[in-house]
Amino acid sequence: MAEVSKGIAEKWGLVVDQDRCTGCNACVVACSMENNVPFTGEDNVAFGRGTYWIYNKRMWEGAYPEVAPAFQPVMCQQCGSAPCEPVCPTFAAVHSEEEQINLQIYNRCIGTRYCANNCPYHARQFNFQDPDIPEPMNSYLNPDVTIRRRGVMEKCTFCVQRIVAGRQTASAEDRPLRDGEVTPACVAACPSGALVFGDLSDPSSRVSQMAQNERQYKLMDELGTRPKVTYLKGGGRNGG
Amino acid sequence: MKLKKPWWNQPGIQIASVLVALIIVGGIVGGIFLTQTPPEQPIAFPHNRHVAIGASCLYCHTGATLGPSAGLPGIEKCWGCHQQVQKQSPELTKLAGYVERNEAIPWVPVAIQPDFVHFKHSPHLNAGLQCSACHGDLSKMKVAEPQKGQNMGWCLQCHKNTAPEQWTKLSDCATCHY
């Protein structure tokens, strides 16, 4: 974890407002469609081999009959000091210096699964099988994202294909990226606006403003992973 | 007394070495054949003649400045000119056949990248790169020929030499792999 000494480099960040999340799972569906996340089927999910780049953690609060669900969408936290990176023997889990996110380079990955074992967030998914995409289903595939084969680790990339496309469009039009121009699929799909994505290095961006909120916390911040995802505490205490 | 043959005369060793040699030679020949020879095209399109009369690459490969894929021309594009000019040639008879049947020409892409490489034409052309920098000098080729050694080292070498000030961005894995 050599990056600790380099100082805090910030680029892309995500804010999850738990007061706004209704647990509708639209983010999970949008993510699977955008990123060609394979359908593994009931049996594999029962074996703990389901692949979801983002999952909605549901907790029940209160005692029966006064129970209410609390939702916490969890995706790769894009740690500034990621536990998955130093353990990869093939440098398939690498840190992007330009975008300040964690990348998974599928063609380098040999499937040791060290990274998933070292990830405290359960954000990494392993392909135990080749994806089964029968004939009419291949039309839904996103050509911008590689289809991962068996034996390859995968995870949320903050929709890096959209980041790169946005960056290239902006540079073709000779202007800087605007705030809110790049949105990952989960953010674009969220109907209640619980997810906000943007540039943390720009203090005036919406995501930077929201990350300053008094309700903010980070998942397992005490581990020193420096996650790029900020959660805003829910529970209806702050009018949600 | 039976004489023991030296090890290189043992039939097992000889057969095994011939098999290994055949596999290696087959691999080399197959590799060269699959990657370095121009594939069979439905119409032997003469690039050199079209470049010589001053046709721009972008006239047929329209997508190059706009998106990831440069695109290959369809029958409307070809027939737009050849309806009027130069009708008599065996290759153009094939084109007329495709037009008559209202069928897409099944061009075989020559410059291809693996699935895990997301190459995009538009940023390269917007950065002022010439087509010939990667595709070779088409004014000297008849059908398009694959260029040798288009691997990651070759990509990175060009990124390093043409824009060293943007090396962080251009050497980032996410620039091509995602």
Side-chain angles (χ1 to χ4, degrees):
Chain A
M1 296 195 212
E3 297 109 75
V4 176
S5 55
K6 280 192 207 159
I8 311 262
E10 298 280 15
K11 184 83 198 247
W12 301 108
L14 186 66
V15 167
V16 183
D17 190 340
Q18 287 184 259
D19 254 353
R20 283 170 172 254
C21 180
T22 61
C24 71
N25 280 352
C27 49
V28 181
V29 176
C31 173
S32 300
M33 287 290 112
E34 169 73 18
N35 293 301
N36 299 341
V37 178
F39 305 111
T40 45
E42 254 175 83
D43 292 347
N44 278 310
V45 173
F47 279 130
R49 293 177 173 190
T51 39
Y52 300 105
W53 285 11
I54 175 171
Y55 59 93
N56 210 334
K57 211 150 90 180
R58 187 190 58 193
M59 292 152 287
W60 293 106
E61 283 176 353
Y64 182 82
E66 300 291 309
V67 286
F71 299 106
Q72 187 180 46
V74 183
M75 70 298 292
C76 172
Q77 307 286 306
Q78 312 289 355
C79 307
S81 173
C84 54
E85 284 164 6
V87 293
C88 182
T90 58
F91 300 99
V94 285
H95 202 73
S96 166
E97 291 301 322
E98 173 71 15
E99 311 295 355
Q100 290 300 327
I101 56 175
N102 310 113
L103 301 173
Q104 179 68 15
I105 310 302
Y106 309 122
N107 48 316
R108 269 186 191 166
C109 179
I110 56 168
T112 61
R113 290 184 269 158
Y114 293 162
C115 53
N117 291 332
N118 221 26
C119 175
Y121 304 105
H122 287 263
R124 290 179 161 266
Q125 319 291 331
F126 189 68
N127 283 287
F128 283 93
Q129 293 158 354
D130 275 322
D132 178 25
I133 306 161
E135 188 41 62
M137 294 295 285
N138 54 9
S139 321
Y140 86 85
L141 292 171
N142 181 357
D144 284 343
V145 181
T146 314
I147 299 154
R148 282 81 54 185
R149 50 173 291 182
R150 181 170 62 105
V152 169
M153 192 60 75
E154 61 185 56
K155 69 165 193 75
C156 163
T157 58
F158 269 0
C159 285
V160 70
Q161 69 277 11
R162 292 187 176 207
I163 295 176
V164 172
R167 188 177 83 191
Q168 286 170 349
T169 313
S171 108
E173 291 168 10
D174 208 15
R175 59 172 172 82
L177 264 175
R178 286 188 291 264
D179 186 30
E181 189 177 349
V182 173
T183 49
C186 55
V187 178
C190 183
S192 58
L195 302 165
V196 176
F197 184 77
D199 193 345
L200 284 174
S201 64
D202 170 13
S204 65
S205 72
R206 190 160 166 242
V207 73
S208 301
Q209 305 274 318
M210 282 182 81
Q212 306 296 323
N213 195 303
E214 56 172 359
R215 297 185 283 144
Q216 67 92 14
Y217 71 100
K218 288 179 173 171
L219 280 191
M220 290 184 241
D221 204 16
E222 67 278 11
L223 297 177
T225 52
R226 296 200 280 111
K228 294 282 194 292
V229 182
T230 308
Y231 287 84
L232 304 185
K233 213 172 275 177
R237 285 181 296 273
N238 294 277
Chain B
M1 185 187 151
K2 199 177 171 191
L3 269 173
K4 196 174 186 305
K5 282 184 189 167
W7 66 269
W8 60 85
N9 269 353
Q10 301 274 352
I13 299 272
Q14 284 182 339
I15 290 167
S17 56
V18 166
L19 279 178
V20 167
L22 270 178
I23 289 167
I24 290 170
V25 169
I28 293 168
V29 170
I32 289 171
F33 180 74
L34 288 175
T35 61
Q36 307 294 323
T37 50
E40 184 85 14
Q41 297 286 356
I43 298 172
F45 177 82
H47 277 91
N48 50 2
R49 219 170 291 162
H50 290 80
V51 174
I53 61 162
S56 154
C57 307
L58 290 173
Y59 183 72
C60 298
H61 303 288
T62 45
T65 50
L66 305 170
S69 166
L72 296 163
I75 45 174
E76 295 90 355
K77 186 72 81 176
C78 303
W79 203 236
C81 292
H82 283 288
Q83 211 170 5
Q84 274 92 36
V85 292
Q86 180 93 40
K87 278 183 228 170
Q88 304 309 318
S89 99
E91 295 300 324
L92 281 165
T93 323
K94 289 186 205 165
L95 172 66
Y98 283 113
V99 173
E100 211 167 282
R101 295 190 297 273
N102 195 19
E103 214 175 79
I105 307 168
W107 296 116
V108 184
V110 173
I112 44 171
Q113 292 293 335
D115 285 349
F116 50 81
V117 180
H118 293 277
F119 174 81
K120 288 183 187 159
H121 275 91
S122 50
H124 292 87
L125 289 177
N126 292 335
L129 210 66
Q130 295 299 313
C131 305
S132 56
C134 305
H135 294 286
D137 189 357
L138 264 301
S139 64
K140 295 199 176 67
M141 287 176 212
K142 194 163 183 281
V143 293
E145 291 161 16
Q147 300 298 301
K148 275 180 197 151
Q150 290 194 333
N151 50 29
M152 198 170 96
W154 173 80
C155 293
L156 283 173
Q157 197 63 44
C158 188
H159 278 187
K160 199 178 201 169
N161 294 343
T162 47
E165 71 285 355
Q166 297 187 48
W167 177 240
T168 316
K169 182 172 88 182
L170 293 179
S171 67
D172 199 90
C173 302
T175 302
C176 308
H177 301 290
Y178 39 79

